[in-house]
Amino acid sequence: MEVGKTLLALGILLALLGLLLLYFPKLFAWFGHLPGDIRIERENLRVYIPITSALALSLLLSLLFNLLSALRR
């Protein structure tokens, strides 16, 4: 039963994130444009490697999940 609740919560969270991206695209415009992100643009090639953005996102999600875990106890 706990897995069902978790999947439902994740689904709702993904739906809310999708709505944010749909109606407020500038809210996440920073992703991929931070110092340390690699962008290679040539005539027939575009490569984006968002290293710093991925690290920042990972840090934010880790803090969020640790906070939620602490609140559940």
Side-chain angles (χ1 to χ4, degrees), residues 37-71:
D37 291 341
I38 299 172
R39 294 174 47 154
I40 301 171
E41 295 184 22
R42 297 198 178 145
E43 186 176 323
N44 294 324
L45 175 71
R46 288 186 185 172
V47 178
Y48 298 107
I49 306 171
I51 296 171
T52 308
S53 297
L55 287 172
L57 185 62
S58 175
L59 179 66
L60 288 172
L61 288 174
S62 293
L63 289 172
L64 177 70
F65 288 135
N66 283 328
L67 178 67
L68 291 174
S69 176
L71 290 175

